[in-house]
Amino acid sequence: MRLGAGIPICASGHGTGKEFAVSTDETSLSPIQRSYWQDEAPDPLDVPGLYEGVRLRRIFAYLIDLVIIGALLLLLWFVGMFFVALTLGLLYPVLMVAMALVPFLYHATTIGGYHDATVGMRLMDLRVVAWDGYSPGYAQAALQTILFYASIALTNTLILLVSLFNARGRCLHDFFAGTVVINDDRPY
């Protein structure tokens, strides 16, 4: 059973005696207060439903996010160019900085927000959770976003192959930021 159903997802995995449960009254808690497990992320052998198919759906989620970011950049470009023309080019550097910040702000605010996921992740039924089971805050989401874009810029996406060598499908930026991406079947 997947996380988010409001009932235990693993009564006791392989004799560990650990129980992983989600609060049934999740709406009364702030995102920082919600905890989905204690200590560390559940082992994929104990709860395979949490990580099943995450790698492929992360790719599709990011493609959806790229379309959304592209639309935001296009909108910002047209609005920004109006003001650049109005100021005879003086605001052009400001526009370039604003356009560079759009992908960062999109990822950091959506992952750090209430749903713990970007729009693409939500459409693909994924969510980001801190390693200790809590929702990531804005600072942790910003760190994950910075590490993601830095690793992509330095390795031209080859660094994402790290996810093939661990059972939870975590990428290098997930390890360094202390996050894990899991399946999420909650209705939004």
Side-chain angles (χ1 to χ4, degrees), residues 148-172:
F148 170 71
Y149 282 113
S151 66
I152 294 297
L154 294 174
T155 64
N156 195 21
T157 69
L158 291 177
I159 198 69
L160 299 179
L161 295 176
V162 169
S163 75
L164 298 175
F165 300 102
N166 65 81
R168 291 180 179 96
R170 295 174 76 196
C171 296
L172 195 61

Side-chain angles (χ1 to χ4, degrees), residues 56-160:
L56 183 62
R57 289 188 310 170
R58 276 183 92 167
I59 293 169
F60 287 119
Y62 186 64
L63 293 176
I64 293 168
D65 290 333
L66 283 179
V67 170
I68 293 169
I69 291 169
L72 291 172
L73 287 172
L74 193 62
L75 178 66
L76 180 61
W77 175 260
F78 284 116
V79 171
M81 286 308 287
F82 171 76
F83 289 106
V84 166
L86 209 62
T87 61
L88 302 175
L90 291 176
L91 288 180
Y92 189 75
V94 175
L95 176 61
M96 292 299 105
V97 169
M99 289 185 70
L101 287 175
V102 166
F104 169 76
L105 291 174
Y106 172 80
H107 281 93
T109 57
T110 55
I111 291 172
Y114 184 77
H115 294 292
D116 308 326
T118 64
V119 174
M121 288 178 177
R122 288 173 60 190
L123 290 173
M124 293 287 114
D125 294 326
L126 298 172
R127 82 174 4 217
V128 178
V129 179
W131 186 250
D132 61 2
Y134 288 93
S135 295
Y138 289 105
Q140 191 171 22
L143 175 64
Q144 184 193 33
T145 303
I146 290 168
L147 292 170
F148 170 71
Y149 282 113
S151 66
I152 294 297
L154 294 174
T155 64
N156 195 21
T157 69
L158 291 177
I159 198 69
L160 299 179

Side-chain angles (χ1 to χ4, degrees), residues 1-12 18-24 47:
M1 182 178 286
R2 287 189 188 167
L3 179 74
I7 55 176
I9 56 176
C10 178
S12 62
K18 294 182 182 178
E19 185 171 302
F20 307 105
V22 176
S23 169
T24 55
V47 191

